Amino acid sequence: MSEELHDHDRGLSFDLPTLHRRKMIRLLAGASLVPLVGCGGDDSDSSASSASSASSSSSSSAASSGSAECETIPNETAGPYPGDGSNGVNVLKESGVVRKDITSSFGSASGKAEGVPLTITLTVVDAASGCGTPKEGAAVYLWHCDRDGNYSLYSEGVTEENYLRGVQETDAKGQVTFTSIFPACYTGRWPHIHFEVYDSLEDATKATSITATSQLAFAKDVCDTVYASDGYDRSVQNMSQLSLETDNIFSDGYDQQLATTKGSVEKGYTATLTVPV
């Protein structure tokens, strides 16, 4: 059965315009076969897997020796559906975007995203302090696709919706928490959540001075369990063609972006991640 391929199903080709310089260099090096330590081209799964394994091994060794330094969260592409004004659509300046529960649309829209409940908590810390100092008063804009792999404001059928997007200000612990649903796995991308960190809530709602742009990843066993439940049928097939080691974004290492996820389909899940900036 053939389906019309939506923009968000096209993977890297639509992410390239905003791809971080670090990843662009890796991709160009892979395409031209120029030796580059730790890089893997899109056409070489084994190279990507080796690079990721080497990175994981190095991180594990450093951690076990107690000499690992605090590193800032890897910068990633915001993708083609950020809604932050960088490509025309700007939800950040709309009244109501500052909210904890992002399952429903706000303003004049009334749609709601259905799916397995997910609570996301990000802890923003100061990398220069060795990750020991929370960034109180910073802000996080977070967004992701729905159960069908569609992005509000962009995808056909949900262009008038703005659900699964929201902003929160970090508390004294440097934390923000969002109530949402578990995202789908769409063609060409491992299940993920996008987020941008700003120095302040004012910066976020003005969509200026982004401190960091990154993505959160989910462990395979959790995804497999969620996608076996009702409503995620398309994600099962898409997941079978992917791995963290071959994903266009996470193939060069994902240790800092893999969320700690707990829970169940019946009671919902929690996903937590520390974000050094």
Side-chain angles (χ1 to χ4, degrees):
M1 178 179 65
S2 62
E3 299 182 10
E4 179 184 354
L5 194 62
H6 295 287
D7 287 351
H8 67 271
D9 290 334
R10 298 179 187 276
L12 186 60
S13 63
F14 277 79
D15 282 349
L16 279 176
T18 52
L19 202 60
H20 188 264
R21 181 183 299 273
R22 172 172 63 88
K23 291 186 175 295
M24 183 65 79
I25 292 174
R26 294 177 186 274
L27 289 169
L28 290 177
S32 61
L33 300 182
V34 175
L36 183 63
V37 176
C39 75
D42 290 339
D43 296 329
S44 176
D45 291 355
S46 60
S47 296
S49 179
S50 297
S52 180
S53 297
S55 174
S56 299
S57 176
S58 175
S59 298
S60 298
S61 297
S64 62
S65 67
S67 60
E69 295 182 0
C70 173
E71 297 183 359
T72 57
I73 193 78
N75 270 301
E76 308 289 7
T77 173
Y81 312 108
D84 60 2
S86 60
N87 64 355
V89 182
N90 193 342
V91 73
L92 294 177
K93 293 185 178 182
E94 295 184 17
S95 175
V97 72
V98 180
R99 61 206 186 119
K100 177 179 180 179
D101 189 339
I102 62 174
T103 54
S104 299
S105 291
F106 61 93
S108 60
S110 59
K112 182 177 181 179
E114 301 294 339
V116 173
L118 175 68
T119 300
I120 309 147
T121 298
L122 303 182
T123 303
V124 183
V125 296
D126 180 19
S129 71
C131 292
T133 303
K135 295 280 286 187
E136 181 180 5
V140 175
Y141 166 44
L142 181 144
W143 73 98
H144 62 84
C145 71
D146 62 19
R147 185 171 62 180
D148 297 316
N150 296 320
Y151 283 87
S152 66
L153 302 176
Y154 294 89
S155 301
E156 183 178 358
V158 293
T159 56
E160 301 302 315
E161 301 295 345
N162 52 27
Y163 56 55
L164 305 183
R165 299 176 184 274
V167 176
Q168 282 279 289
E169 183 178 26
T170 58
D171 60 18
K173 296 180 179 179
Q175 294 184 339
V176 292
T177 298
F178 295 91
T179 301
S180 190
I181 57 100
F182 205 94
C185 174
Y186 55 80
T187 305
R189 280 305 318 277
W190 188 261
H192 62 283
I193 288 177
H194 294 269
F195 61 90
E196 293 173 344
V197 180
Y198 293 80
D199 280 340
S200 67
L201 187 60
E202 181 179 9
D203 283 347
T205 53
K206 289 183 177 179
T208 60
S209 305
I210 299 173
T211 301
T213 302
S214 196
Q215 298 181 24
L216 172 156
F218 293 96
K220 183 180 186 303
D221 60 339
V222 175
C223 294
D224 287 341
T225 300
V226 172
Y227 297 157
S229 65
D230 293 340
Y232 288 92
D233 298 350
R234 293 178 60 186
S235 294
V236 175
Q237 176 64 27
N238 294 332
M239 274 284 291
S240 68
Q241 302 170 1
L242 295 166
S243 72
L244 276 163
E245 287 75 19
T246 60
D247 179 71
N248 292 324
I249 298 302
F250 300 123
S251 61
D252 63 350
Y254 51 84
D255 289 352
Q256 287 184 270
Q257 296 159 282
L258 191 62
T260 298
T261 309
K262 300 178 181 180
S264 66
V265 169
E266 294 75 22
K267 296 182 179 180
Y269 285 87
T270 61
T272 59
L273 185 71
T274 298
V275 181
V277 297

